[in-house]
Amino acid sequence: DQQVKQNSPSLSVQEGRISILNCDYTNSMFDYFLWYKKYPAEGPTFLISISSIKDKNEDGRFTVFLNKSAKHLSLHIVPSQPGDSAVYFCAGGGSGGGADGLTFGKGTHLIIQP
Amino acid sequence: KAGVTQTPRYLIKTRGQQVTLSCSPISGHRSVSWYQQTPGQGLQFLFEYFSETQRNKGNFPGRFSGRQFSNSRSEMNVSTLELGDSALYLCASSYQGLAGGRYYNEQFFGPGTRLTVL
């Protein structure tokens, strides 16, 4: 049972345009969500997070939107830059008074075209 | 601050052997989590340690174990290696606490240890 799903294995976007990466989840117990970016042969790099009590969080070019009723979140990158080409993972976590392991989606490979 | 470090970066072992991987978290971080990444399954949670205690465990067999030391450094051990254990093993550290009115639970990953089982 995949609790976090990223249905697009890859996404191609032109440089300067907006990149929108989507993520769906089934576990309503997640307290927070995170987005990570991963280059080959490196560990994931934390990008941005959102608490389940919010519907939007913004950090520079990155904005995460959360729609709890639809169990859907999205990451917007604007404007997209060549260095944004990487695999993006969305993850859900539950605080529950302690740290539960993150549950990751399988990732979306974002390709920024010049 | 220095990031999360993992040693060794690469390991080749044969079936039946055992292996120990090491992780040094970001200074001040008290929580260390371990993940396995494979092409088919993606990133999967192994276990999490906080203040030398295992707080949470994923769905992996007992051959996978870990521990955390008083300086928050952590080790992960896999015994009786199988071919399917070939993967990238990632360690992530997190502060897991309140600071300045905000709860910090973001996990920061190390570069991983690439384990190949022959």
Side-chain angles (χ1 to χ4, degrees), chain A residues 41-43, chain B residues 4-6 9 88-91 109-113:
Chain A
E42 292 183 13
Chain B
V4 178
T5 57
Q6 291 186 248
R9 291 294 311 277
L88 179 68
Y89 289 88
L90 291 156
C91 159
F109 285 81
T113 295

Side-chain angles (χ1 to χ4, degrees), chain A residues 36 38 43 46 99-100 102 106, chain B residues 35 37 40 55-56 107 110:
Chain A
Y36 285 86
K38 189 178 186 300
F46 169 73
D100 297 330
L102 296 177
K106 297 213 171 175
Chain B
Y35 294 84
Q37 185 180 21
R55 283 202 302 191
N56 205 4
Q107 296 186 18

Side-chain angles (χ1 to χ4, degrees), chain A residues 7 19 66 110:
Chain A
N7 291 318
S19 295
L66 175 62
L110 176 65

Side-chain angles (χ1 to χ4, degrees), chain A residues 32 34 36 38 41-46 49 89 95 97-106, chain B residues 9 31 35 37 40-43 45 48 55-56 88 90 96 102 105-111:
Chain A
Y32 58 95
L34 309 95
Y36 285 86
K38 189 178 186 300
E42 292 183 13
T45 302
F46 169 73
S49 65
F89 292 94
S95 54
D100 297 330
L102 296 177
T103 303
F104 283 85
K106 297 213 171 175
Chain B
R9 291 294 311 277
S31 165
Y35 294 84
Q37 185 180 21
Q41 297 298 320
L43 272 155
F45 171 70
E48 185 251 354
R55 283 202 302 191
N56 205 4
L88 179 68
L90 291 156
Q96 290 297 332
R102 176 181 176 270
N105 52 19
E106 299 89 341
Q107 296 186 18
F108 295 88
F109 285 81

Side-chain angles (χ1 to χ4, degrees), chain B residues 42-61:
Chain B
L43 272 155
Q44 292 188 290
F45 171 70
L46 280 154
F47 30 65
E48 185 251 354
Y49 286 86
F50 184 92
S51 294
E52 302 177 65
T53 302
Q54 187 183 89
R55 283 202 302 191
N56 205 4
K57 190 175 189 304
N59 190 25
F60 278 81

